[in-house]
Amino acid sequence: MYEGVVQDLIDELGRLPGVGPKSAQRIAFHLLQAEPADVRRLADVLIEVKAKVKFCTICFNVSEDEQCRICRDPRRDPSLLCVVEEYKDVVAIERTREFRGRYHVLGGAISPIDGIGPEQLRIRELMVRLADGAIVETILATDPNLEGEATATYLTRMLKPLGLRVTRLASGLPVGGDLEYADEVTLGRAFAGRRSADD
């Protein structure tokens, strides 16, 4: 191990998601070799992002204002609501340019192993948003994993009695993928979600 502040830097970088010990060490030594102005700029941006960025009071996406740009945009369809787990999911969906409604960020997924139940998510706030009847379709865009499926199932049970349309994103084979490499669950969903060849 290294001594003093160098090891402290490696330890702090290693606490970041997706950064293992070797990556933390590589980043630390990159920063040590970088120009002081570059490191200062990075430090300033980190401090500024913590000071300026907050959560949208409507959808809970990240924003520098009380409401995010999507919630402020009058061209968005207020009758469509896409429910996602995390803020990064909003960006992924926006890149497709296919969805013109609004979002609701849950802040995670139900995961009993991690101690995350429905109470820890923004489900209560979702129910408040749906209470006025302005939203006619809720798209559940949770991850296609165990936690995402559990969250979608829970939400479906909560939302069905409200009389609105509840849909899930289709799942199946990726474009450019090979059948031989698809796992059984993905291939099964592709069969279950098949559509007419004329579409």
Side-chain angles (χ1 to χ4, degrees):
M1 296 304 180
Y2 300 92
E3 53 183 70
V5 72
V6 174
Q7 188 60 48
D8 292 344
L9 176 60
I10 293 169
D11 292 343
E12 288 304 313
L13 290 169
R15 293 176 55 196
L16 296 172
V19 178
K22 289 191 180 203
S23 294
Q25 185 175 325
R26 250 191 317 278
I27 295 167
F29 283 110
H30 169 78
L31 292 171
L32 287 171
Q33 294 171 345
E35 292 295 319
D38 294 339
V39 175
R40 197 169 301 111
R41 195 168 45 251
L42 174 63
D44 290 344
V45 168
L46 290 171
I47 292 166
E48 187 176 13
V49 79
K50 282 305 287 178
K52 286 186 175 178
V53 176
K54 48 188 153 236
F55 301 107
C56 175
T57 56
I58 297 173
C59 73
F60 303 99
N61 193 9
V62 291
S63 176
E64 287 188 31
D65 298 311
E66 288 296 309
Q67 295 177 1
C68 71
R69 66 174 176 74
I70 295 171
C71 287
R72 290 192 315 262
D73 187 347
R75 296 168 300 177
R76 304 297 290 224
D77 185 346
S79 69
L80 294 175
L81 186 69
C82 184
V83 179
V84 297
E85 292 178 26
E86 302 289 349
Y87 329 105
K88 60 184 185 266
D89 300 331
V90 172
V91 175
I93 294 170
E94 284 296 291
R95 275 197 305 257
T96 69
R97 300 184 188 276
E98 292 290 325
F99 181 67
R100 297 300 305 155
R102 300 213 168 130
Y103 294 92
H104 186 85
V105 180
L106 293 171
I110 295 171
S111 177
I113 292 172
D114 298 317
I116 301 171
E119 325 63 58
Q120 281 75 43
L121 304 178
R122 295 188 187 101
I123 294 173
R124 190 171 25 260
E125 293 85 347
L126 172 63
M127 299 308 284
V128 169
R129 284 184 78 181
L130 297 172
D132 67 2
I135 295 165
V136 296
E137 181 181 357
T138 302
I139 303 161
L140 303 178
T142 55
D143 290 342
N145 57 25
L146 194 61
E147 294 83 5
E149 292 296 327
T151 305
T153 301
Y154 179 85
L155 288 173
T156 300
R157 274 194 241 121
M158 295 280 295
L159 303 180
K160 279 289 187 189
L162 299 178
L164 50 95
R165 186 170 182 228
V166 180
T167 57
R168 282 279 283 140
L169 291 182
S171 58
L173 298 171
V175 174
D178 292 323
L179 286 180
E180 66 180 298
Y181 299 119
D183 63 90
E184 298 83 19
V185 174
T186 301
L187 201 50
R189 285 190 181 165
F191 269 98
R194 68 190 181 279
R195 57 188 168 82
S196 169
D198 297 333
D199 291 346

